Amino acid sequence: MSDTRAAVDAVAAGGAAPLVGAPPVPPARAAGRSVVRALRGRRLARSLPAVLSWLLLTGLVLVALVGPLLVSADPLRQTSSALLSPGAAGHPLGTDDLGRDELARLVHGARPLLLVSFAATALAAGVGTLIGLVAGYVGGIVEQVLMRLVDLALAFPSILLVILLVAAAGPGTVSLVFGIGISLAPGLARLARALTAREAARDYVVAARIGGTGVPRILVRELLPNIGGPLLAQVVMTLSIAAGFAAGLSYLGLGIQPPTPDWGYMVQAGQEFLFSAPRLVVLPAMFTLLFVVACNFVGDDLRDALDPRGTA
């Protein structure tokens, strides 16, 4: 959660109150800067690592979406020959200890991991943003109660909280998404609260409130588009944490259950053959690592493009 805490501290340090006598900002959403408008005129992928990360992330998502349609081999079908070496007839990457095609298992294993990662991140973003918006805009006792609960959740190590939630709900995809999503929501809530508190003092929000606009409309139509940029960058970074948690829990047997191919479980199943067939461990671990690293670089790139302190 260090990235989230640093982002919140930066927002808190950079948020200044409007100057008295300054010309009023038009009380419309144009007063703010939505994600689309912020990206317009901003250049993404301005460095080689960012370009490679965008390409890698896009490629892995495409593999998860369309890869199973392009690989004809059945990832669950066992052959009579186990641990075939790469290049064997019909098995470009060989087979595992049960004679299952390794290429098919790698391709089919991308979808469960990415599905859990995106779903858990979406849950964390939804819950965290809602808490942060309400706390930052309403303030008072509501903010105190909500943020104390957030601080209490942040006091627990995230991985420990995930394990406790998943273990309590039982292993499986649904419990994995719920456990990871709830454990990652407090960090996003803290950032959303800091961003909302800064925006709530601006003229366009004050004008909307004076004009009789309801609280839900202000939160959704006025505040959310204007805090969406920094939140989006942090959500993409959170996606990398979710992927690491999903793979780690599958490795421990608390995540996606066999026989469904999954990169985390494939590492656990192949570690017995680390020296005789290292590809069974290295390949799924490498793809998981590449996805995590790509998400972090893409998140950094988005943060540079959507940094509110760098916009006029």
Side-chain angles (χ1 to χ4, degrees), residues 34 101 113 232 284 308:
S34 67
D101 185 80
L113 179 66
L232 176 62

Side-chain angles (χ1 to χ4, degrees), residues 14-103:
L19 294 176
V20 176
V25 181
R29 289 185 300 278
R33 185 177 293 270
S34 67
V35 176
V36 175
R37 295 183 66 225
L39 284 175
R40 195 176 300 165
R42 294 281 179 173
R43 183 184 172 188
L44 292 174
R46 289 174 290 183
S47 63
L48 180 60
V51 172
L52 295 177
S53 297
W54 277 102
L55 293 175
L56 181 59
L57 184 59
T58 303
L60 290 174
V61 172
L62 289 176
V63 167
L65 293 177
V66 304
L69 302 177
L70 303 178
V71 177
S72 58
D74 186 350
L76 302 180
R77 183 176 180 272
Q78 301 180 17
T79 60
S80 57
S81 301
L83 289 178
L84 290 177
S85 60
H91 305 285
L93 295 181
T95 59
D96 65 3
D97 59 307
L98 297 179
R100 297 172 295 191
D101 185 80
E102 185 67 10
L103 175 61

Side-chain angles (χ1 to χ4, degrees), residues 39-277:
L39 284 175
R40 195 176 300 165
R42 294 281 179 173
R43 183 184 172 188
L44 292 174
R46 289 174 290 183
S47 63
L48 180 60
V51 172
L52 295 177
S53 297
W54 277 102
L55 293 175
L56 181 59
L57 184 59
T58 303
L60 290 174
V61 172
L62 289 176
V63 167
L65 293 177
V66 304
L69 302 177
L70 303 178
V71 177
S72 58
D74 186 350
L76 302 180
R77 183 176 180 272
Q78 301 180 17
T79 60
S80 57
S81 301
L83 289 178
L84 290 177
S85 60
H91 305 285
L93 295 181
T95 59
D96 65 3
D97 59 307
L98 297 179
R100 297 172 295 191
D101 185 80
E102 185 67 10
L103 175 61
R105 291 182 62 77
L106 282 172
V107 172
H108 284 263
R111 181 176 293 179
L113 179 66
L114 268 62
L115 176 63
V116 168
S117 302
F118 278 98
T121 303
L123 176 61
V127 174
T129 301
L130 178 61
I131 293 175
L133 278 171
V134 173
Y137 180 75
V138 177
I141 187 64
V142 174
E143 179 184 17
Q144 293 298 319
V145 171
L146 290 177
M147 297 315 296
R148 294 300 77 76
L149 292 175
V150 167
D151 291 340
L152 180 62
L154 288 173
F156 284 87
S158 296
I159 185 62
L160 177 59
L161 184 58
V162 173
I163 292 175
L164 290 175
L165 291 173
V166 174
T173 302
V174 176
S175 61
L176 194 61
V177 170
F178 176 79
I180 296 175
I182 294 301
S183 67
L184 295 179
L188 293 174
R190 194 165 181 260
L191 176 60
R193 178 261 165 199
L195 293 168
T196 302
R198 186 190 64 183
E199 290 294 322
R202 296 190 182 273
D203 290 346
Y204 72 94
V205 177
V206 174
R209 185 165 59 244
I210 294 175
T213 305
V215 172
R217 185 179 179 87
I218 291 177
L219 295 180
V220 175
R221 302 294 296 274
E222 303 292 345
L223 288 171
L224 185 58
N226 294 297
I227 68 172
L231 267 180
L232 176 62
Q234 192 62 38
V235 165
V236 175
M237 293 184 182
T238 302
L239 178 61
S240 68
I241 303 175
F245 283 170
L249 289 172
S250 294
Y251 176 86
L252 295 175
L254 295 174
I256 300 168
Q257 297 298 294
T260 302
D262 170 74
W263 289 346
Y265 174 74
M266 289 171 65
V267 172
Q268 189 273 338
Q271 64 182 2
E272 181 180 353
F273 310 96
L274 181 60
F275 296 103
S276 59

